[in-house]
Amino acid sequence: MHKLLAKLIDAQALASGVFVHTYHAPEISRSAEPGQFVNIRVSSSVAPLLRRPFSVLSSDGREQFRILFEVKGQGTEILSRKQPGAEVDCVGPLGQPFQIKAGKLNLVIAGGMGVAPLFFLMQQLRTKPYPTLLLYGVRTKACLYLVDELVASGVQLQIFTDDGSAGQQGMVTDFVEEYMQPGCAIYACGPMEMIKVLTHKVHSAGLECQVSLENQLGCGVGACLGCVVKVHDGYARVCCDGPVFDSNALEF
Amino acid sequence: MHKLLAKLIDAQALASGVFVHTYHAPEISRSAEPGQFVNIRVSSSVAPLLRRPFSVLSSDGREQFRILFEVKGQGTEILSRKQPGAEVDCVGPLGQPFQIKAGKLNLVIAGGMGVAPLFFLMQQLRTKPYPTLLLYGVRTKACLYLVDELVASGVQLQIFTDDGSAGQQGMVTDFVEEYMQPGCAIYACGPMEMIKVLTHKVHSAGLECQVSLENQLGCGVGACLGCVVKVHDGYARVCCDGPVFDSNALEF
Amino acid sequence: MPDLEIQIGELTLKNPVTVASGTFGYGQEYEAFYDPSLLGAIFLKSVTLEERPGNPPPRLVETPAGLINSIGLQNVGLDRFLDEVVPLLEGIDTVLIANIAGNTVDEYVQLAEALSDCPGLAALEVNVSCPNVKEGGIAFGTSADMIREVTQEVVAASALPIIVKLTPNVADIVSMAHAAEEAGATAVSLVNTFLALAIDIETRRPILGNATGGLSGPAIKPIALRMVWQVARSTNIPIIGMGGIMTGTDAIEFLMAGATAIAVGTANFVNPLAPVEIVKELEMFLEAHHHTSVREIINVVEG
Amino acid sequence: MPDLEIQIGELTLKNPVTVASGTFGYGQEYEAFYDPSLLGAIFLKSVTLEERPGNPPPRLVETPAGLINSIGLQNVGLDRFLDEVVPLLEGIDTVLIANIAGNTVDEYVQLAEALSDCPGLAALEVNVSCPNVKEGGIAFGTSADMIREVTQEVVAASALPIIVKLTPNVADIVSMAHAAEEAGATAVSLVNTFLALAIDIETRRPILGNATGGLSGPAIKPIALRMVWQVARSTNIPIIGMGGIMTGTDAIEFLMAGATAIAVGTANFVNPLAPVEIVKELEMFLEAHHHTSVREIINVVEG
Ligand SMILES: Cc1cc2nc3c(=O)[nH]c(=O)nc-3n(C[C@H](O)[C@H](O)[C@H](O)COP(=O)(O)OP(=O)(O)OC[C@H]3O[C@@H](n4cnc5c(N)ncnc54)[C@H](O)[C@@H]3O)c2cc1C
Ligand SMILES: Cc1cc2nc3c(=O)[nH]c(=O)nc-3n(C[C@H](O)[C@H](O)[C@H](O)COP(=O)(O)OP(=O)(O)OC[C@H]3O[C@@H](n4cnc5c(N)ncnc54)[C@H](O)[C@@H]3O)c2cc1C
Ligand SMILES: Cc1cc2nc3c(=O)[nH]c(=O)nc-3n(C[C@H](O)[C@H](O)[C@H](O)COP(=O)(O)O)c2cc1C
Ligand SMILES: Cc1cc2nc3c(=O)[nH]c(=O)nc-3n(C[C@H](O)[C@H](O)[C@H](O)COP(=O)(O)O)c2cc1C
Ligand code: FES
Ligand code: FES
């Protein structure tokens, strides 16, 4: 865990309000694992006051890491206006990564921007002997990001859109049962509603999965107990007990 | 008085932390008079909360006006980072302008950044029959701005520096008596300490002057009574009774 | 077009967006930006019995997302208010509310009497954040008993609706609102500014000439909103909510928390168009959510 | 190198920069950033007699220059605190101060007794912002009488120096500090958070699971600073000042206003290095102004 100035070396707009940033920060890039995040102070002003968390999208393991983010409010808006060369105040890597399980199939389920931590996970799953299938659900075709990179990396990809503008029409959770199989390892990230439905279906099938959650963070390092979610034996902190949780542990 | 988005069309760094901005804003440029100011919201964030006031440095009377400013804190820092093309939330022109008096000599006395409103004043004095002499005092040579433009405009110029690095060594107030003459019209802007000493000397010589003051503003339009300075019969508002005051009215 | 009209006792406001006392002068200064008749009401700057010079400058200091002011109730006093200020108000076609401040109950009563027959004034707002000189200088607004007394006397002295403007510098805002309600106030204004301090570490002195001042602006919004919500849940008195309202969203939060109207204060300084923009944003919100009247979103938060 | 050491009663702190209860866990979480032994003291997160699950999420909401939290005193309870937490503290070479919270005077007393002989703890901070269940749930800290009672009992129950942490949700902070002083407290901490609310205008509900929470951060600094200054001018009890301190300048303002030490709270979240940077900035200020000791700038503001 480091606090440092990461140099923004590349900023790409993937769509209106959606960006990929590449940062130079060896300390973070070397140790980041899929599912972990960085916590960025977008402004030295007191508004917005808190850091903004972003999953590590990928890391070259040596010098650079990337994030994928969507402009939601003031914080991401300020971040999106930064130009290459900017030094960005960054704490990371933070949180518990995905545990790579030796399933016969790696079933990776992404909802919207939830693809970010999973992209990094899939980079690592590539080196494993089992095939990886990504179920990628978005509202509409324009919200599909990084598909070329995903395809190029050899991931098997099934797309779902709410409006049928690409892939299968419908929600990824409507079809997920078709892809589950005994012994598969399931990893998911997306809106809370999706995670809930998904977890229910996964558990009904006698399986379990790892899910990455989001929440409003305070400290980002486990000190404030502000970011908790309900787990069976009380509350767990998203920032350091998560963001990746075993679906078994969570209570919805 | 207008509230509008002024387009920044040119941003020049005159020295480290000192900038001239040129804005496109016909409504303001057409009506601005020397001594008046614009009140700029540098950020849509709540920090800094209040607008920042800057004297009009010059106006072409039709479309464009300029400001000269120094980075002092967060507000001016943010302003200094704006790039041409930026739309800047601007209220103006505000405040009472200098009253151009028919003196036999226009004696203009600038301390540091106080040169800004006086520059505009001298543009107008040029069209008058009487000569204009600018006494321009700064800490050191590097803090002299716009001298070329001033000289080109035909203003007679006497420079003073605290350290003697340009012009006469010493403070402008140490020498001002040498330049005062009966019937001259005196205009001044600079640090409060300079204004105080100057006013005292001017009054001692049986003369009066117009001085432009600064203060922390709230509303900028006369509503809040926050920006007051002491005058003989109570308090006067810098934002709308000033910023230009008859030295006779002020109480130090 | 959703209906924006709201009712506060016998007062009818064309919309719930008003401007806070002391931040809008007497309505003239913002005429360059828009017609003040567009506002639901204007709360005029506090008037006192005698003319007051106000506090020595500096009177303002900016803080994180806030502003401390120590204007010190500078005003021309009752007589000149009647002679000079009231005539200025004539063209303004909205509810005009004078704000009175005093150091004794008797001063409030004299002000209330004198302003009662004043043409154009629709109500009186009673600023109880002032020190009660008979009680050792403790602010009227920090004691339920003093609020009760002032309110009763002012209500008795004036035929106009009385709005009591409470100070947030108390442990229990509900009991203060209760006192005003019981004493016959038509509404309460929540909140005035928070007593605050800023220090210049170079001079080692308070920045303000008066040392302390009142904190306003977005910084205080979460506390002000809590107070409005608490009072709305525990009393039946209409509330004019204020404290850091900058946008339509802020205004809607206050309405939902239980305010019948809201006032824009410090935001006027930041964005002179804030009140009219808030009216527009409110309208858009109501339309987007298929409300026919703003009254449908007032006091809807339970929690 | 100026001397940063300060004294609070019998406690000696190597420097006046501490971290606020609840914002620094039990000292472990920030070890990745710097050695917590560099701090003047660490105020540990509140401990209660029984384990507390804390409030339902969401527990945090950001506001203009502020943060509202409703953690709800989540902690493992006294027994596990002694068994599991205290051993973790062993390596930390600075003044460690436990913070106790209860709903009855008896709970405070039991906590104070149990923690008195606890190795490694140098003092107890008494969080009086909790509801007194015997008094209908009104917070201990809003009544001078209740503060007096709790303080007296805790002082009697423990050999450790007692620091009473006051809530700012009061009309008269000075009388609260007076009560703590008279009852034998070694110091007061000023201030805890301000009760606040945020509303989600889409769901029309409070954002926090607990509805209200406590506002902290730069937004409250001007109010907190005023309270420290008022208490410093009217009492002789040492003050640990806090509320929105982000930088060395902020810390120096609190020291000049009368705090003997300061605590960094919310700023830890924004800048995990804030406390050590503040120590450095403080040192630089003292050097630049030719002070040989930080004590020369404590309580120097008159105004
Ligand atoms: C561990 C973690 C990893 C994340 N990874 C990514 C990522 O890779 N890419 C990405 O685009 N975003 C990610 N997020 C979400 C991202 O942090 C928020 O979108 C961002 O903080 C919003 O900041 P803002 O100032 O732009 O919006 P704000 O003005 O703060 O909020 C705008 C809107 O977004 C909502 N919102 C704000 N923060 C969150 C949050 N943390 N969770 C859910 N809703 C929120 C608010 O309620 C509000 O409606 C992650 C969050 C967490 C906790
Ligand atoms: C009518 C008027 C005209 C002005 N014209 C110009 C101009 O042409 N060019 C220019 O560079 N500046 C001008 N100023 C001053 C300018 O407005 C301030 O320097 C600026 O607001 C500082 O903002 P900041 O956020 O950068 O600094 P802050 O962070 O607000 O303050 C930094 C430091 O500057 C001091 N300061 C801030 N505002 C003022 C002020 N209004 N007066 C005196 N000291 C202040 C603060 O006390 C602090 O020490 C003018 C001010 C007024 C009132
Ligand atoms: C500069 C200034 C002057 C004020 N003067 C008065 C006043 O004369 N009487 C009064 O009752 N309130 C006065 N107030 C308080 C406001 O009416 C309002 O209650 C407070 O500022 C909170 O709202 P805001 O955060 O939107 O500004 C003043 C506030 C400011 C900022
Ligand atoms: C997330 C959070 C948790 C807190 N928990 C406690 C606590 O357990 N006990 C306590 O006495 N104060 C607690 N506080 C209050 C702080 O100790 C401090 O008094 C307050 O936050 C003001 O300081 P700040 O503005 O620097 O944060 C907490 C504050 C925050 C932000
Ligand atoms: S954000 Fe503070 S514990 Fe998770
Ligand atoms: S700034 Fe408000 S009256 Fe001048």
Side-chain angles (χ1 to χ4, degrees):
Chain A
M1 190 190 314
H2 303 271
K3 177 190 181 300
L4 45 76
L5 292 176
K7 186 172 232 151
L8 178 58
I9 52 182
D10 189 55
Q12 299 286 335
L14 298 191
S16 156
V18 178
F19 297 83
V20 170
H21 274 187
T22 308
Y23 291 97
H24 179 90
E27 296 88 336
I28 292 175
S29 308
R30 273 191 224 120
S31 55
E33 293 179 53
Q36 289 192 301
F37 66 95
V38 293
N39 213 357
I40 292 182
R41 187 169 182 193
V42 297
S43 157
S44 59
S45 150
V46 293
L49 182 63
L50 297 174
R51 289 172 180 269
R52 296 298 190 250
F54 302 96
S55 303
V56 176
L57 170 68
S58 67
S59 165
D60 66 4
R62 290 171 291 115
E63 298 200 316
Q64 304 179 2
F65 72 89
R66 299 193 298 168
I67 62 172
L68 165 70
F69 68 96
E70 189 178 16
V71 172
K72 288 275 227 163
Q74 201 196 355
T76 44
E77 206 273 318
I78 294 172
L79 188 62
S80 74
R81 281 192 277 112
K82 297 213 189 276
Q83 298 295 322
E87 309 243 278
V88 178
D89 180 349
C90 206
V91 171
L94 296 166
Q96 299 303 323
F98 286 105
Q99 296 299 321
I100 293 184
K101 297 260 166 78
K104 295 209 185 78
L105 168 72
N106 297 305
L107 188 59
V108 179
I109 301 162
M113 298 302 290
V115 76
L118 299 171
F119 185 95
F120 192 11
L121 173 70
M122 289 183 284
Q123 276 195 338
Q124 310 240 330
L125 289 174
R126 249 196 305 170
T127 63
K128 304 290 161 196
Y130 304 100
T132 296
L133 170 61
L134 170 63
L135 309 183
Y136 186 4
V138 295
R139 226 174 55 248
T140 184
K141 190 177 172 187
C143 299
L144 283 169
Y145 308 118
L146 303 168
V147 170
D148 291 350
E149 278 196 56
L150 285 165
V151 169
S153 77
V155 166
Q156 219 187 311
L157 179 64
Q158 177 61 54
I159 287 168
F160 301 85
T161 54
D162 295 357
D163 63 0
S165 53
Q168 171 85 48
Q169 175 160 15
M171 295 209 286
V172 57
T173 43
D174 296 340
F175 300 93
V176 66
E177 282 112 329
E178 298 175 18
Y179 299 91
M180 294 193 290
Q181 45 180 259
C184 73
I186 308 178
Y187 312 85
C189 183
M192 203 53 182
E193 215 32 63
M194 175 193 114
I195 298 289
K196 272 189 208 171
V197 176
L198 177 73
T199 303
H200 182 72
K201 295 198 166 181
V202 166
H203 290 182
S204 301
L207 294 167
E208 43 186 279
C209 60
Q210 293 174 55
V211 298
S212 176
L213 302 183
E214 291 191 1
N215 206 349
Q216 173 69 52
L217 304 187
C219 65
V221 297
C224 75
L225 310 183
C227 63
V228 300
V229 289
K230 192 106 192 65
V231 291
H232 294 310
D233 55 347
Y235 292 112
R237 296 163 295 183
V238 165
C239 70
C240 62
D241 301 319
V244 176
F245 290 95
D246 275 331
S247 61
N248 277 334
L250 297 171
E251 212 165 80
F252 291 106
Chain B
M1 192 189 314
H2 303 272
K3 179 191 179 299
L4 46 75
L5 291 176
K7 187 173 230 148
L8 178 58
I9 53 182
D10 189 55
Q12 299 287 336
L14 297 191
S16 156
V18 178
F19 297 83
V20 170
H21 275 187
T22 307
Y23 291 97
H24 178 90
E27 295 89 337
I28 292 175
S29 307
R30 274 192 223 118
S31 55
E33 292 179 54
Q36 288 192 301
F37 66 96
V38 293
N39 213 357
I40 292 181
R41 187 169 182 194
V42 297
S43 158
S44 59
S45 151
V46 294
L49 182 64
L50 297 173
R51 288 172 181 271
R52 298 296 190 252
F54 302 96
S55 303
V56 176
L57 171 67
S58 67
S59 165
D60 67 4
R62 291 169 292 115
E63 298 200 315
Q64 302 180 3
F65 72 89
R66 298 193 298 168
I67 62 172
L68 165 70
F69 69 96
E70 187 178 18
V71 173
K72 287 277 228 165
Q74 201 196 355
T76 44
E77 206 272 320
I78 294 172
L79 188 62
S80 74
R81 280 190 279 112
K82 298 211 190 276
Q83 298 295 321
E87 310 243 277
V88 178
D89 180 349
C90 206
V91 170
L94 296 167
Q96 299 303 323
F98 286 104
Q99 296 299 322
I100 292 184
K101 297 260 168 76
K104 297 211 185 77
L105 167 72
N106 297 306
L107 188 58
V108 179
I109 301 161
M113 299 301 290
V115 75
L118 298 172
F119 185 95
F120 192 11
L121 173 70
M122 288 183 284
Q123 277 195 334
Q124 311 240 329
L125 289 175
R126 248 195 304 169
T127 65
K128 304 289 162 198
Y130 303 100
T132 296
L133 170 62
L134 170 64
L135 309 183
Y136 186 4
V138 294
R139 226 176 53 250
T140 184
K141 191 177 174 187
C143 300
L144 284 168
Y145 308 119
L146 303 167
V147 169
D148 291 349
E149 278 196 57
L150 285 164
V151 170
S153 77
V155 165
Q156 216 186 312
L157 179 63
Q158 176 62 52
I159 287 167
F160 301 85
T161 54
D162 294 357
D163 62 1
S165 52
Q168 171 86 48
Q169 175 160 14
M171 296 210 285
V172 58
T173 44
D174 296 341
F175 299 92
V176 67
E177 283 112 330
E178 297 175 19
Y179 300 92
M180 295 192 291
Q181 45 179 259
C184 72
I186 308 178
Y187 311 86
C189 184
M192 202 53 180
E193 215 30 62
M194 175 193 114
I195 299 289
K196 271 190 211 170
V197 175
L198 177 73
T199 304
H200 181 74
K201 296 197 167 182
V202 167
H203 291 183
S204 301
L207 296 167
E208 42 186 279
C209 59
Q210 293 175 57
V211 298
S212 176
L213 302 183
E214 291 191 2
N215 206 348
Q216 172 70 51
L217 304 187
C219 66
V221 297
C224 74
L225 311 183
C227 63
V228 300
V229 289
K230 192 106 194 62
V231 291
H232 294 309
D233 55 348
Y235 293 112
R237 296 162 297 183
V238 165
C239 70
C240 61
D241 301 319
V244 176
F245 290 95
D246 276 331
S247 61
N248 277 335
L250 296 172
E251 212 165 79
F252 292 105
Chain C
M1 276 276 287
D3 180 9
L4 293 186
E5 193 176 284
I6 54 108
Q7 199 78 28
I8 296 176
E10 59 223 83
L11 292 171
T12 303
L13 272 56
K14 63 181 86 159
N15 68 58
V17 181
T18 76
V19 284
S21 178
T23 67
F24 205 76
Y26 299 118
Q28 274 61 55
E29 287 80 1
Y30 287 89
E31 278 177 352
F33 301 105
Y34 63 90
D35 178 358
S37 304
L38 296 171
L39 298 168
I42 296 174
F43 288 86
L44 304 173
K45 167 141 197 67
S46 284
V47 58
T48 55
L49 207 52
E50 308 296 336
E51 176 165 355
R52 293 221 193 164
N55 285 327
R59 289 181 176 180
L60 297 175
V61 52
E62 191 177 329
T63 68
L67 172 68
I68 315 180
N69 87 79
S70 66
I71 309 302
L73 296 178
Q74 177 181 338
N75 80 100
V76 294
L78 177 62
D79 293 347
R80 286 177 59 199
F81 178 84
L82 292 170
D83 291 353
E84 298 168 23
V85 176
V86 171
L88 297 176
L89 305 174
E90 224 165 80
I92 307 180
D93 177 26
T94 188
V95 169
L96 297 172
I97 301 171
N99 176 301
I100 61 176
N103 288 130
T104 62
V105 174
D106 188 53
E107 284 182 19
Y108 283 106
V109 168
Q110 287 186 53
L111 285 158
E113 278 172 357
L115 292 170
S116 277
D117 319 312
C118 186
L121 292 183
L124 296 182
E125 183 177 49
V126 184
N127 177 352
V128 293
S129 297
C130 310
N132 182 339
V133 294
K134 295 227 171 108
E135 299 285 341
I138 155 173
F140 283 96
T142 57
S143 143
D145 288 340
M146 289 195 281
I147 290 175
R148 201 173 288 110
E149 189 189 351
V150 174
T151 308
Q152 264 162 359
E153 299 289 331
V154 169
V155 167
S158 170
L160 293 175
I162 300 302
I163 300 168
V164 178
K165 179 160 182 181
L166 299 177
T167 165
N169 300 300
V170 298
D172 180 12
I173 194 74
V174 171
S175 64
M176 306 301 156
H178 252 309
E181 184 177 28
E182 283 170 13
T186 295
V188 285
S189 287
L190 288 178
V191 297
N192 215 315
T193 54
F194 289 76
L195 196 62
L197 176 70
I199 288 170
D200 180 331
I201 66 169
E202 292 303 327
T203 64
R204 300 169 190 213
R205 298 181 54 80
I207 294 179
L208 297 176
N210 185 53
T212 59
L215 182 67
S216 64
I220 67 168
K221 196 197 81 174
I223 318 178
L225 187 68
R226 180 265 296 179
M227 291 185 171
V228 166
W229 183 68
Q230 284 182 324
V231 170
R233 280 161 39 113
S234 311
T235 70
N236 292 310
I237 192 163
I239 299 165
I240 295 115
M242 71 198 76
I245 295 175
M246 298 284 286
T247 65
T249 301
D250 296 332
I252 293 165
E253 283 192 59
F254 275 85
L255 295 173
M256 288 183 170
T260 302
I262 61 94
V264 178
T266 304
N268 291 302
F269 308 166
V270 179
N271 175 11
L273 296 177
V276 284
E277 289 179 1
I278 289 171
V279 171
K280 229 170 279 160
E281 286 163 41
L282 178 56
E283 230 160 46
M284 282 170 51
F285 178 88
L286 294 171
E287 271 172 9
H289 293 76
H290 310 293
H291 289 293
T292 56
S293 160
V294 68
R295 296 182 297 278
E296 294 166 18
I297 66 162
I298 290 171
N299 205 10
V300 294
V301 169
E302 281 151 40
Chain D
M1 278 274 287
D3 180 9
L4 293 186
E5 192 176 285
I6 55 106
Q7 200 78 29
I8 297 177
E10 59 223 81
L11 292 171
T12 304
L13 272 56
K14 64 180 85 160
N15 69 59
V17 181
T18 76
V19 284
S21 178
T23 67
F24 205 74
Y26 299 119
Q28 273 63 54
E29 288 80 1
Y30 287 90
E31 278 178 352
F33 300 105
Y34 62 90
D35 178 357
S37 305
L38 295 171
L39 298 167
I42 297 174
F43 288 86
L44 304 173
K45 167 142 197 63
S46 285
V47 58
T48 55
L49 206 52
E50 307 297 334
E51 178 165 353
R52 293 220 194 165
N55 284 328
R59 290 182 175 180
L60 297 174
V61 52
E62 192 176 328
T63 68
L67 172 68
I68 316 180
N69 88 79
S70 67
I71 308 303
L73 296 178
Q74 177 179 339
N75 80 101
V76 294
L78 178 62
D79 292 346
R80 286 177 59 198
F81 179 84
L82 292 171
D83 291 351
E84 297 167 23
V85 176
V86 171
L88 296 175
L89 305 173
E90 222 165 80
I92 307 179
D93 177 27
T94 188
V95 169
L96 297 172
I97 301 171
N99 176 300
I100 61 175
N103 289 129
T104 62
V105 174
D106 188 53
E107 283 182 18
Y108 283 105
V109 168
Q110 285 185 53
L111 285 158
E113 278 173 355
L115 292 169
S116 276
D117 318 312
C118 186
L121 293 184
L124 297 182
E125 184 179 47
V126 184
N127 177 352
V128 294
S129 297
C130 311
N132 182 341
V133 294
K134 297 228 170 106
E135 299 285 340
I138 154 173
F140 283 95
T142 57
S143 143
D145 288 340
M146 289 195 282
I147 290 175
R148 200 173 290 111
E149 190 190 349
V150 174
T151 308
Q152 262 162 1
E153 298 290 329
V154 169
V155 166
S158 170
L160 294 175
I162 301 302
I163 301 168
V164 178
K165 180 160 181 181
L166 300 177
T167 165
N169 300 300
V170 298
D172 179 11
I173 193 75
V174 171
S175 64
M176 305 302 155
H178 253 308
E181 184 177 27
E182 282 170 15
T186 295
V188 286
S189 287
L190 289 179
V191 296
N192 214 315
T193 54
F194 288 76
L195 196 62
L197 177 70
I199 288 171
D200 180 332
I201 66 169
E202 293 302 329
T203 63
R204 298 166 191 216
R205 297 181 54 79
I207 294 179
L208 296 176
N210 185 53
T212 58
L215 181 66
S216 64
I220 67 168
K221 197 197 83 175
I223 318 178
L225 187 68
R226 179 264 297 178
M227 290 185 172
V228 166
W229 183 70
Q230 285 182 324
V231 170
R233 281 161 39 116
S234 310
T235 70
N236 291 310
I237 192 164
I239 300 165
I240 296 115
M242 71 198 77
I245 295 175
M246 298 284 285
T247 64
T249 301
D250 295 333
I252 293 164
E253 283 192 60
F254 275 85
L255 295 172
M256 288 183 170
T260 301
I262 60 95
V264 178
T266 305
N268 291 302
F269 309 166
V270 179
N271 175 11
L273 296 178
V276 283
E277 288 178 3
I278 288 172
V279 171
K280 229 172 278 159
E281 287 162 40
L282 177 57
E283 229 161 46
M284 281 169 52
F285 179 88
L286 294 171
E287 270 171 11
H289 293 77
H290 310 294
H291 289 294
T292 55
S293 160
V294 68
R295 297 182 296 275
E296 294 166 18
I297 65 163
I298 291 171
N299 205 9
V300 294
V301 169
E302 280 150 40

